[in-house]
Amino acid sequence: MENVHLAGEEEDLYSGYNDYNPTFDSEELENDVGFQQAVRTSHGRRPPVSTYYSVTSYFARIPLASSMGRPMTGAVQDGAARPMTAVRAAGYTSSLTRGSTFDPLGQSKGPAPSLEAKNEDTPEEKIKILEKKVNDLIEESCMAQSIGALQLALEKAKEAGRKERALVRQREQSGNADHINLDLTYSVLLNLANQYANNEMYPEALNSYQVIVKNKMFSNAGRLKVNMANIYVKQKNYPKAIKFYRMALDQISNAHKEMRIKIMQNIGVVFVRMGQYSDAITSFEHIMSESPNIKTGFNLILCYYAIGDRERMKKAFQKLISVPLGIDDEDKYIPSNDDTDSSMVIEAIKNDKLHQMERDLKVLAEKYIMTAAKLIAPAIETSFATGFDWCVDMVKNSQYVELANDLEINKAITYLRQKDFNQAVETLKTFEKKDSRVKSAAATNLSFLYFLEKDYDQADRYADLAMTADRYNPAALINKGNTVFVKQDYEKAAEFYKEALRNDSSCTEALYNLGLTYKKLNRLEEALDCFLKLHAILRNSAQVMYQLLLEDPQQAIEWLIQVLSVTHTDPQALAKLGELYDGEGDKSQAFQYYYESFRYFPSNIDVIEWLGAYYIETQFCEKAIQYFERKALETYKDIHRKFPENVECLRFLVRLCTDMGLKEVQDYATKLKKAEKMKEIKEQRVKSGREGSARGRRESREGSAGSAGEDTFLSELANVLQFDLFKASFIIRSIVLSMFVSACVFCADSGHSSNSTKGERLSAKMRSLPGSNEPYEASSPKEIDASYVDPLGPQMERPKTGAKRRVEDDDFADEELGDDLLPE
């Protein structure tokens, strides 16, 4: 009964049923510090602490630190009750220690230790740093090349090469020679070779490529022989280029079809440059059979044209227009009104890079087809028109139907180049009922043609038609402005030119014509602004620079010097520059430019007159006679063109040409004989048909006409020169100056005032010359006094400056006012 205990009211009948050994509490092992330490270290292998567990104290014992886990249910430790396991708050653990604080983030342990710094002194780290520097230098070299800094790109490539060699040596010293980065070495050598080639250092580039090609460790290095062949092409070493192209072709497998096609195309082009058209045809025909493209088809037509094979030209043209471009229909870029989402997508892709590439490819194809048609049209048929019609028919049946109208317009332009204006006009008139774009182009060309023919009414009509068909056509607006300009309605012409510039700001014709219009309106500041803008666009245009001549003589001289730097043989610009120097009082410079103007264009009366007066003023009358002879010759030529039957004029021409040693003397002598013969025949007919009394009256009239022959001739001369009779007589009398060389002391006349003009002094001098009613006779050679000195010297240097065409304000208004719409 000692062991029997009766249940009292204070005892818990159900106590002990939930008690269990905390050792088996596996859910709390993660929070058991002793267990986790034993797992990480050898603490768990230590001998266990000798502890005696009694049966009576089993339920009340405190677990060891190494196995401390969940306490027994209802146990009390250090006077603190165990938290409930089902609702344990964050931060509590089952291991309760006296003095422990609430620290769920573990901040009491302090900051984490810093990362261990890498040791850059080790060989591995040095190699990695050097590799990074080499890669950075290669990237910088490529970026410099992309922005056009070729010299900087080469310097970076050379530095990358030096760093890479240092990297290889460092690997060898560290014993890692087997781990050399071949890809990095290949990149360095290839970039260096490319930069040498870009800087046109071709021997160095070839050496760098050769280093790569000969190294068997570089796979696919044989393709670089294409680059080497390209360099030989630039050096015009075509046989070696062919050799390297073929070597590259042998090392490229058939799997890379596109690369092989490009190499064969290069081979064909090199054969064309060598003139070996048969070998080029072989390459191009193979390409057209394997992978046809527009460029190769065009080159094949050129080769057939070079050898003159008509039938093969036709077949090649048919192949050219049948080459597929791989471009989708343009209709897919038309937005749909029904589907808003698809319309937004179409707007987004309408001008993207892909669509731009498609447009460029189509434009290139049309350019090749148009050029090929214009080239072969005269060669494939007996006539140009028939050949062009055949090309038009072929194009109409191809995917380039819209090119047919353009070919027809080019046909009309070709007629223009052949000077067949009637056929050109008839061809262009057939487009009056076509669509708006073609109609506008045809009407624009028609307006231009009629403007050149000075049929301004027709030019205005077709300019209106072109504007109606396409109001945004700048060429049509320019032609309309030109027709208004010639009617002197300058305000309205300026409006048309401005509208053309609004539609196309790069239209230089409209800007130039607008400047001319402002000059006519005396709005010089606005005209100057137009020509300065045009000069910024067309830096080497002599016409534009000539328009920039201002009232300031010094500035005008500077602009004229720039004009002559572009056009070295322009006689009008040279004469204008001589006139400016003459106005500034610099006679020597004026003489040089007037002399150069005379040398390039010896028919300018004003230049001849100035040179003759200059020699008279400098007391070298013998030289002055040469220029007056030239002046008289040009005057008589003008008279002869207006009065071809004037016998007196022909006599003077024969005698002048004889004295001057000109080859035209035979032509004028023949004309003189014919004129005299015709005159005799007329006189005989008159004599045989009249009575003696009438004959007497006629002879009296002829006698009076003969006595007035000189006055009639001088009147004709005055009409041509627009001088009075005295000046015409002065020109004739100056011709016989060589007969009176001994009397040339009159040139030293000092009786005139210093304020008298050159013309007054010259007129006074010429009035002192003896008159002559006889025809001009050749003067006999005279001895020149020993004291005579030629001021120019026997071999005086002349400035070789001038322009190839006459430069004059009125010329530009006439020549450049029309808008040249004809393509090359």
Side-chain angles (χ1 to χ4, degrees), residues 619-634:
Q619 302 181 10
F620 296 105
C621 302
E622 187 69 24
K623 287 185 174 293
I625 292 173
Q626 301 175 6
Y627 292 100
F628 286 124
E629 285 178 343
R630 171 65 68 175
K631 183 173 182 178
L633 178 64
E634 297 300 328

Side-chain angles (χ1 to χ4, degrees), residues 132-150:
K132 187 177 184 305
K133 288 183 179 179
V134 173
N135 283 311
D136 291 342
L137 287 170
I138 295 174
E139 184 177 355
E140 291 174 5
S141 175
C142 296
M143 293 298 293
Q145 178 194 349
S146 65
I147 62 175
L150 301 181

Side-chain angles (χ1 to χ4, degrees), residues 500-551:
L501 286 171
R502 285 194 294 268
N503 294 336
D504 183 8
S505 59
S506 62
C507 186
T508 55
E509 296 88 352
L511 189 58
Y512 186 89
N513 291 349
L514 182 61
L516 293 180
T517 307
Y518 283 143
K519 286 184 70 174
K520 292 291 185 180
L521 293 171
N522 203 25
R523 293 157 63 175
L524 299 182
E525 290 297 329
E526 294 173 270
L528 182 62
D529 184 57
C530 290
F531 290 124
L532 286 174
K533 289 179 181 178
L534 200 57
H535 179 62
I537 300 172
L538 307 174
R539 301 296 300 181
N540 295 324
S541 175
Q543 297 177 356
V544 176
M545 288 187 285
Y546 190 86
Q547 295 297 334
L548 290 170
L549 300 182
L550 302 175
E551 296 180 357

Side-chain angles (χ1 to χ4, degrees), residues 98-156:
R98 181 180 294 275
S100 62
T101 59
F102 179 75
D103 187 15
L105 300 179
Q107 297 178 356
S108 61
K109 298 180 180 179
S114 59
L115 297 176
E116 183 179 356
K118 292 183 179 180
N119 188 4
E120 297 183 359
D121 295 334
T122 61
E124 292 79 5
E125 288 300 324
K126 289 182 179 179
I127 290 174
K128 288 181 180 179
I129 293 173
L130 202 53
E131 281 186 351
K132 187 177 184 305
K133 288 183 179 179
V134 173
N135 283 311
D136 291 342
L137 287 170
I138 295 174
E139 184 177 355
E140 291 174 5
S141 175
C142 296
M143 293 298 293
Q145 178 194 349
S146 65
I147 62 175
L150 301 181
Q151 187 63 34
L152 178 61
L154 179 60
E155 294 298 329
K156 294 290 184 181

Side-chain angles (χ1 to χ4, degrees), residues 802-817:
K804 294 183 180 178
R805 65 178 300 279
R806 302 186 66 175
V807 183
E808 197 166 357
D809 288 355
D810 294 336
D811 291 346
F812 289 144
D814 294 337
E815 296 178 8
E816 296 301 321
L817 198 59

Side-chain angles (χ1 to χ4, degrees), residues 440 466-477 499-500 502-504:
S440 179
M467 290 169 54
T468 304
D470 184 5
R471 183 69 185 189
Y472 298 98
N473 184 353
L477 291 167
E499 186 176 354
R502 285 194 294 268
N503 294 336
D504 183 8

